[in-house]
Each structure stands twice: as structure tokens, then as C-alpha cells.
Amino acid sequence: MPKKQPHPDEEQLLHKMLSFADDPLGFVLFAFPWGQPGTPLAWHQGPRQWQRDALVKMRDHIKANRRKQSQGLDPELFKLARASGRGIGKSAFLGWIALWLFSCLPSSTVVVSANTEQQLKSTTFPEIRKWATMSINSRWFEHNVMSLQPAEWLTQALKETTGYDDAYWYIQARLWSEETPDAYAGVHSQMGMAVLFDEASGIHGAIWPVAQGYFTDKTVHRFWIAISNPRNPSGEFFECFHGNRDQWDHETIDGRSVEENDPGVYEDIIRRYGADSDEARVEVYGQ
């Protein structure tokens, strides 16, 4: 089978993508076919408000890091935690972050984990692959069950023009084990690094300090995103909103407040279990 070759407009697209390196919201608005007839996003005009707000916070953090860097100060790691009711678009948000860093910062690394292997393989990573397929630069990706890697022609083109190292340029789904947390330790990236925790409430506490070790390089683009239905009233995700709240940009999102969601689904939960029930607190209020 012949190798794929760069499209004549691919170089122009690459330059456009690089212009969004400090603007994740700009990338999301540009990269996907929002409102275009005949696409899965035909009836969607862009990110939901909570997603947009988080992307703006990331953009502002990058700007602040740039200022610190210009003053000879160390850039900081950005840690974002969101607890929510069900169905607010958590996995989509994580997918956008992964694809933004991969597309706009060649040689960057993205590690994606979830509470269970089934969640990671059947929900979280398929969501990332879905958005990669819809993206304007879909030709850039080689799809595997547990990773997205740059197409061979893309790595070759970048090596010839920029000298970037592609050894750790990927989006990778990583499993973890409570018994052997050190096996979760991984690579470091001097370009950009993101660790994305889906259903983070179920990720064991022994994994969190190991994940912290991914961020030892003092790069501008370092992001640790933990997002979940808050099913566990203890543990590291719980502490993002309590004992460690000063270390995280943290918010709680009520599912009823999210546009495009059907409020009737949440009201059914409240009627069935009660407004003060654990089910309502977790599945609706995000508490």
C-alpha cells in the first residue's frame, strides 16, 4: 500500500495549527465542523459554556506563564478539576485537550487514564478517536486501540523542516494498578505535557503522586486535568475540592445548568430518589 503524502495545503494547515499553541479555545472552534450541514455537529455551534470557560482559563494560564518566562521566572503547572452530574460532555472536553496539544505542539505528550480499563477502552479513548476523525487535520493521525500517533508522512515532514523529535509525540491511553503504582511512571516532554484523568474519583490515590512526576520539566504547556462524577466521598479527587483545593482550579457543575441537556432526565432522578439523596447529589448536582 503506498505511503500517504502531504496534501498541498497541509503546510498551510500546519502553520495555522501552530498559531493555536497558546489558545485551546481557538483550536476547538477552528478544528471541528461546528454547525456544518451533514456532519455530526450540524446542530451544535461550539463548546458548552462550562467547557468554553475552562478553555479560556487554560489560555489565560498560558499567557501568564509566558509573562513569567519573559521575566526569568519558572512557568507553573495548571491543575484543573471538575466535579459534575452526568452527561455534561466531560470526555469530549478531554478529547479536545488531547487533540489540541498533539496538533499545535509537535513532540508533545498526552497520557489519558480512567477509573477502569473498561471505561478507558470503551468510552474515554473512543471519544478521543471520534473527535480526531472529525477534526480538520484528521489525516495527521494513525489510530490504534490505545494510542493516536502522528502519520509517518507528518513526522518525516517535521523532521525535515523543524528537527522535532517524534519519539514521545502521541496521545496514549494508560492503565494503572493499585498494586504496582510505579509502573504508571512515564516519559517527560520538553514541548508540552498533559495528563488527563477521566472519572478521576475512581483512580486510586497511589497513582496521583506518580502522575505528578510527569511534570518535572519546566515547560509552559503543562496540564493536569481531573474530571469526574464525584462518586467517592474520599480520596485524591475529593481532596481537589477540599484539603488540596488551593492547588487546583476546581468547580462543581450541576447537570441541569448545562445547555443542550434534557432537564427531564435530572428531574426524574430527583423524583425517584429524592432531592437530598446520594443519587441526586452525585448524578445531578455533581456534589
Side-chain angles (χ1 to χ4, degrees):
M1 187 175 182
K3 292 182 180 179
K4 291 181 180 179
Q5 296 298 320
H7 188 274
D9 295 330
E10 212 73 57
E11 184 175 354
Q12 181 179 356
L13 178 58
L14 176 58
H15 285 300
K16 183 67 174 178
M17 287 298 188
L18 295 177
S19 74
F20 291 120
D22 292 353
D23 185 6
L25 176 58
F27 165 80
V28 171
L29 294 173
F30 172 76
F32 306 113
W34 302 106
Q36 293 184 21
T39 73
L41 300 179
W43 305 106
H44 303 275
Q45 297 305 313
R48 296 172 174 183
Q49 192 59 51
W50 79 265
Q51 296 165 331
R52 186 180 294 265
D53 291 345
L55 292 167
V56 168
K57 286 189 173 186
M58 292 175 65
R59 182 183 67 193
D60 292 345
H61 174 82
I62 297 169
K63 289 181 179 179
N65 268 350
R66 292 290 189 197
R67 289 193 295 270
K68 289 178 181 178
Q69 198 175 49
S70 68
Q71 298 165 4
L73 302 174
D74 291 338
E76 295 183 5
L77 164 66
F78 186 61
K79 298 162 73 173
L80 181 144
R82 294 292 182 268
S84 74
R86 66 168 66 170
I88 69 163
K90 299 186 296 295
S91 296
F93 177 74
L94 295 179
W96 301 341
I97 302 305
L99 296 172
W100 160 68
L101 203 66
F102 178 100
S103 300
C104 302
L105 282 156
S107 297
S108 60
T109 304
V110 180
V111 172
V112 186
S113 295
N115 56 330
T116 65
E117 180 176 354
Q118 180 179 359
Q119 171 74 19
L120 187 61
K121 289 184 174 180
S122 65
T123 302
T124 309
F125 214 76
E127 185 75 8
I128 295 174
R129 292 202 302 267
K130 179 189 80 175
W131 286 97
T133 301
M134 283 194 290
S135 68
I136 195 171
N137 60 327
S138 59
R139 295 179 69 255
W140 293 14
F141 302 98
E142 293 289 350
H143 290 246
N144 300 293
V145 174
M146 296 286 278
S147 69
L148 286 177
Q149 295 177 307
E152 184 178 349
W153 64 264
L154 179 60
T155 57
Q156 188 61 37
L158 281 173
K159 284 180 180 178
E160 292 174 355
T161 58
T162 67
Y164 283 143
D165 178 13
D166 67 311
Y168 300 115
W169 186 15
Y170 51 70
I171 303 168
Q172 183 184 77
R174 294 207 68 180
L175 302 174
W176 54 268
S177 168
E178 176 184 350
E179 289 75 24
T180 56
D182 287 346
Y184 189 78
V187 300
H188 306 273
S189 173
Q190 296 180 348
M191 284 298 295
M193 184 77 219
V195 174
L196 310 179
F197 279 1
D198 193 15
E199 297 301 343
S201 182
I203 295 179
H204 194 271
I207 303 303
W208 292 66
V210 181
Q212 183 93 29
Y214 281 95
F215 300 107
T216 53
D217 287 302
K218 297 177 182 179
T219 58
V220 169
H221 296 84
R222 288 179 294 166
F223 303 94
W224 192 355
I225 314 294
I227 196 162
S228 187
N229 295 114
R231 302 182 187 283
N232 191 347
S234 63
E236 289 297 320
F237 184 71
F238 177 86
E239 294 302 330
C240 294
F241 300 83
H242 295 86
N244 297 329
R245 60 185 295 145
D246 60 328
Q247 302 175 27
W248 291 79
D249 182 292
H250 60 279
E251 290 183 10
T252 298
I253 302 168
D254 188 314
R256 297 169 298 178
S257 70
V258 177
E259 60 272 33
E260 302 180 10
N261 279 358
D262 180 0
V265 172
Y266 302 102
E267 296 305 325
D268 283 347
I269 294 173
I270 294 172
R271 280 194 296 269
R272 180 175 181 181
Y273 297 102
D276 295 328
S277 65
D278 287 343
E279 288 82 2
R281 279 194 287 269
V282 172
E283 305 294 342
V284 179
Y285 315 140
Q287 298 174 359

